[in-house]
Amino acid sequence: MNRNDLRRVDLNLLIVFETLMHERSVTRAAEKLFLGQPAISAALSRLRSLFDDPLFVRTGRSMEPSARAVEIFALLSPALDSISTAVSRAAEFDPATSTSVFRIGLSDDVEFALLPMLLKRLRAEAPGIVLVVRRVNYILMPGLLASGEISIGVSYTTDLPANAKRKVLRRSAPKLLRADTVPGPLSLDDYCARPHALVSFAGDLSGFVDEELEKLGRKRHVVLAVPQFNGLGTLLAGTDIVATVPDYTAEALTAAGGLRAEDPPLPTRTFELHMAWRGSQDNDPGERWLRSRIQMFFGDPDSL
């Protein structure tokens, strides 16, 4: 096929193909693209004709790609990224008049402690934009970036898609939260004797604190695990339960009153908070503007 022949190829078909490769389901692809299932099925039929290949074979509830589909996807995905970048570079972005929709992923601690400050700035600077926030963590981030469901993610991260970019926003130290009125900081003995609460997306009952305590030959007793930070202050109020949280989360929780924060009575390491984004949107003017605002309000220059 030469470039003149490309005139008979509908770019929308290629978007459908890429989405089907990610979702492996006509139903989920239809939901992702805001189309009806008949439209996706019709597009798949045209794709099969275009590539002269079945492309997907149903296996149980999933659609498994053929060898030809995998080969096409490896060539097509970076090409679509390049097209997206070329179009984005040609577009201008004016925050004051933009009505763009930005889809970002935030970990729970970031959404609770840092998003309010960012949102105030965005409302003042770009009142017409729409911000869609998805919950992410180091497990969910790669898939949401790869599928394009989010363009930017802020969380602790490990593995990322090959074309993703990443930078450190801040390095945070843990803080101990307590609601009691006992004067003075807790000793290590007091700390280990107290009941503990932790925030765990997966419902775990141990974390980095337990690893540090183990090095000292000590243990703590976790009596509460919750999936988010938002209600932690209310839960600790009137109890002797303590919690160890990131410093920026501790600042937000103590600002509401009823809690105080102090350094834990044991050596702890710092943790990096990352911003990751799709490489295909690295030069998109609107995305660059949003990343700069995230850097401004989520970052901590003193810790970098």
Side-chain angles (χ1 to χ4, degrees), residues 84-202:
S84 176
T85 299
V87 173
S88 296
R89 285 178 175 174
E92 294 184 355
F93 179 78
D94 178 9
T97 60
S98 175
T99 57
S100 297
V101 177
F102 294 97
R103 300 180 183 275
I104 66 174
L106 302 178
S107 58
D108 175 65
D109 52 322
V110 172
E111 180 184 340
F112 169 70
L114 302 178
L115 179 58
M117 294 183 293
L118 172 67
L119 188 59
K120 290 177 182 177
R121 176 59 177 260
L122 298 186
R123 292 300 303 153
E125 192 173 342
I129 70 165
V130 177
L131 193 66
V132 179
V133 179
R134 298 285 299 274
R135 180 62 52 80
V136 299
N137 56 25
Y138 72 96
I139 298 172
L140 299 175
M141 178 91 81
L144 291 172
L145 281 173
S147 67
E149 292 177 72
I150 61 172
S151 60
I152 304 169
V154 180
S155 174
Y156 164 76
T157 61
T158 52
D159 297 329
L160 290 174
N163 71 336
K165 296 180 179 290
R166 171 170 50 193
K167 74 179 300 181
V168 177
L169 288 177
R170 65 165 65 205
R171 293 182 177 89
S172 68
K175 289 289 185 179
L176 170 64
L177 284 180
R178 48 192 292 206
D180 63 82
T181 57
V182 178
L186 291 183
S187 67
L188 182 58
D189 287 339
D190 293 334
Y191 182 80
C192 293
R194 285 288 192 94
H196 287 252
L198 60 80
V199 178
S200 168
F201 182 85

Side-chain angles (χ1 to χ4, degrees), residues 34 141 166 169 197 220 224 248 271 280 282:
F34 302 101
M141 178 91 81
R166 171 170 50 193
L169 288 177
R220 66 172 177 169
L224 174 67
Y248 53 88
F271 293 88
S280 61
D282 190 38

Side-chain angles (χ1 to χ4, degrees), residues 74-87:
L75 296 170
L76 181 63
S77 189
L80 289 175
D81 282 347
S82 296
I83 292 172
S84 176
T85 299
V87 173

Side-chain angles (χ1 to χ4, degrees), residues 186-256:
L186 291 183
S187 67
L188 182 58
D189 287 339
D190 293 334
Y191 182 80
C192 293
R194 285 288 192 94
H196 287 252
L198 60 80
V199 178
S200 168
F201 182 85
D204 298 323
L205 290 176
S206 64
F208 75 94
V209 168
D210 302 278
E211 296 172 5
E212 299 299 332
L213 286 172
E214 187 176 359
K215 295 175 185 177
L216 302 174
R218 308 297 291 267
K219 291 183 178 180
R220 66 172 177 169
H221 180 45
V222 174
V223 299
L224 174 67
V226 293
Q228 57 191 28
F229 287 90
N230 191 38
L232 196 57
T234 302
L235 294 171
L236 296 185
T239 76
D240 60 347
I241 300 174
V242 298
T244 308
V245 303
D247 50 13
Y248 53 88
T249 308
E251 184 177 348
L253 285 164
T254 54

